[in-house]
Amino acid sequence: MLNYICINCKSSYPLESHQWKCDCGGLLSLEYEKEAVDFSETFLSRQHSLWKYIDALPFEKEDVWQEITLGEGDTPLIKISENVYAKAEYYMPTLSFKDRGAVLLIAMAKKLKANRVIADSSGNAGTAIAAYGARAGIQCDIFVPDSASNKKMKQIEAHGAVIHKVPGTRENTAKAAIAMVEKTNAFYASHIYNPIFREGTKTFVYEVFEQMNGKMPDAFIIPVGNGTLLMGAYIALRELMASGQIDKMPKILAVQAENCAPIEQAFAAGRNTVEPIDNAGTLAEGIAIAAPARGTEILQAIRESGGDIIGVTEESIIHARDALALKGIYVEITSAVNYAGYLRYIEKYPELKEQQVIFPLCGAGIKSD
Ligand SMILES: *Cc1c(COP(=O)(O)O)cnc(C)c1O
Ligand SMILES: [Zn+2]
């Protein structure tokens, strides 16, 4: 049994409904029977992709994903300094962590026999959807803000997707995509609204658990725009707690760009919901989300982990990108936010220096113009 279920009124919808939001306006989560991952088995597996966690994913062992996978997942941990490791998500087939969610989303669209999907993205999600869409033989219409990086747009176009450039804010882009979804009733391959996406991003945490020999770091530093990596990580941590494989949740230490930090502001004000703000302009285009749809869930996840959320300055982002490059690590500008966040967090919590911390390197350096 696999259903979408409304997080407000608990109405459920079959996946075939192509529903992307509840009729009550509520956001959807995914309901299905999953088994706990047997890490003693996956540890020995020669399958070097996230699909080795199939028991905990909403697919069968023999299923459409086999024709679509590009070997995504199983990214390395790179030592940054004593106790600090970075998980190099730029090793993914489309050079960002978005492959984790996109491959599941497109595999599901294929399973539902969709021949067209629509998505909106600031770049990396759209690129990943376009690549797996091409593999699946599904036509992709990708809406991007006209300010998106040229490199990302070229990548999307190369995979044969139709690009729709939308002037104005990231929110305008989402509106244009949703208007086309409503008009065509196509599958909305949204990394934000469709909960299948985060079933893929949760494998980020499974991999860390396996790479650290069945342990967790004390904290994960996670960048937040729409929170798709953060929510995936949180779901995985909850699963591992529920199955008794961990007995304490690592802290989720979230980071936003100070110039566009609606979730950080809501957290600091002690609110449970996130008010849209005006994006004051940031180089971190990949997380410049002024009105995050899943703000309430993100706040809840951070609080439940005993975590925190901070903003980082433009200056510190540029500095962090240069500093990483001088360690041999070339990331896109948005991705430098995570290291800037780490440096800021150890000022805020000096005890963190003695603790194990992991942050992702979300996207490759050549993605930035
Ligand atoms: C998508 C993305 C993020 C943040 O992800 P959200 O799901 O929007 O929170 C961070 N960095 C890079 C490079 C990304 O592509
Ligand atoms: Zn509802």
Side-chain angles (χ1 to χ4, degrees):
M1 269 312 276
L2 191 58
N3 283 308
Y4 294 130
I5 176 157
C6 171
I7 64 172
N8 290 343
C9 74
K10 310 293 172 202
S11 294
S12 81
Y13 299 91
L15 265 56
E16 290 74 17
S17 65
H18 285 200
Q19 200 86 15
W20 61 272
K21 218 176 171 180
C22 180
D23 291 338
C24 84
L27 298 162
L28 303 176
S29 67
L30 196 67
E31 186 187 56
Y32 66 102
E33 282 172 29
K34 45 192 160 187
E35 288 168 41
V37 176
D38 180 350
F39 287 94
S40 63
E41 197 177 290
T42 56
F43 184 74
L44 296 171
S45 170
R46 290 185 48 82
Q47 188 172 11
H48 293 293
S49 80
L50 57 82
W51 294 100
K52 68 176 163 179
Y53 304 113
I54 186 78
D55 288 349
L57 301 177
F59 288 89
E60 308 297 324
K61 281 200 171 71
E62 302 292 324
D63 214 336
V64 288
W65 63 266
Q66 291 169 309
E67 274 136 61
I68 296 167
T69 181
L70 290 164
E72 54 287 338
D74 214 1
T75 57
L77 281 180
I78 299 175
K79 185 168 183 172
I80 300 293
S81 57
E82 204 54 39
N83 291 330
V84 185
Y85 285 82
K87 193 159 168 59
E89 296 289 280
Y90 56 71
Y91 274 63
M92 292 284 180
T94 76
L95 314 180
S96 89
F97 81 83
K98 298 296 196 304
D99 291 43
R100 292 188 189 275
V103 69
L104 264 74
L105 209 45
I106 291 295
M108 193 58 82
K110 183 79 181 171
K111 205 167 162 162
L112 296 170
K113 305 203 168 14
N115 48 26
R116 177 187 205 174
V117 302
I118 295 168
D120 52 286
S121 157
S122 68
N124 284 339
T127 302
I129 295 283
Y132 295 98
R135 261 185 100 63
I138 294 176
Q139 192 208 312
C140 300
D141 284 89
I142 311 285
F143 289 73
V144 296
D146 60 4
S147 59
S149 122
N150 283 319
K151 302 246 173 85
K152 290 178 186 173
M153 287 201 254
K154 277 202 178 136
Q155 219 183 338
I156 294 171
E157 247 160 10
H159 293 304
V162 178
I163 294 199
H164 304 262
K165 288 187 203 174
V166 184
T169 64
R170 174 67 182 81
E171 286 64 44
N172 289 349
T173 305
K175 274 189 203 134
I178 289 168
M180 190 176 185
V181 169
E182 310 267 77
K183 210 170 74 189
T184 59
N185 199 33
F187 184 87
Y188 187 21
S190 169
H191 59 300
I192 304 151
Y193 289 102
N194 196 312
I196 292 165
F197 195 89
R198 58 200 200 184
E199 294 295 318
T201 56
K202 76 184 182 186
T203 59
F204 175 85
V205 162
Y206 292 167
E207 289 176 15
V208 169
F209 188 62
E210 199 177 294
Q211 286 168 313
M212 294 185 66
N213 295 315
K215 288 212 239 5
M216 275 296 165
D218 297 295
F220 283 100
I221 292 189
I222 300 190
V224 184
N226 279 303
T228 67
L229 181 59
L230 186 143
M231 287 307 300
Y234 172 69
I235 289 170
L237 294 173
R238 293 222 7 174
E239 288 174 0
L240 293 173
M241 291 283 285
S243 62
Q245 297 184 90
I246 59 172
D247 52 20
K248 186 170 168 279
M249 248 203 209
K251 285 188 167 59
I252 296 176
L253 300 176
V255 190
Q256 297 206 287
E258 200 174 270
N259 282 356
C260 189
I263 302 174
E264 183 265 329
Q265 288 176 18
F267 188 90
R271 289 198 303 265
N272 295 323
T273 54
V274 176
E275 301 294 324
I277 55 144
D278 286 325
N279 174 3
T282 174
L283 289 167
E285 48 155 19
I287 54 168
I289 308 295
R294 291 192 184 265
T296 303
E297 290 169 278
I298 295 166
L299 286 170
Q300 214 175 1
I302 296 170
R303 290 195 176 114
E304 198 182 311
S305 78
D308 195 359
I309 178 163
I310 55 167
V312 292
T313 63
E314 295 298 296
E315 222 181 1
S316 74
I317 296 170
I318 296 167
H319 168 79
R321 189 187 195 216
D322 294 346
L324 284 172
L326 291 174
K327 293 176 189 291
I329 297 167
Y330 194 47
V331 294
E332 67 169 282
I333 297 170
T334 301
S335 209
V337 162
N338 315 345
Y339 187 47
Y342 172 73
L343 297 174
R344 178 80 194 82
Y345 267 121
I346 54 174
E347 275 173 21
K348 188 169 180 183
Y349 302 115
E351 68 275 16
L352 203 62
K353 281 190 206 153
E354 316 304 324
Q355 299 179 3
Q356 275 189 321
V357 180
I358 288 182
F359 63 86
L361 299 165
C362 293
I366 57 156
K367 279 178 176 274
S368 296
D369 287 328

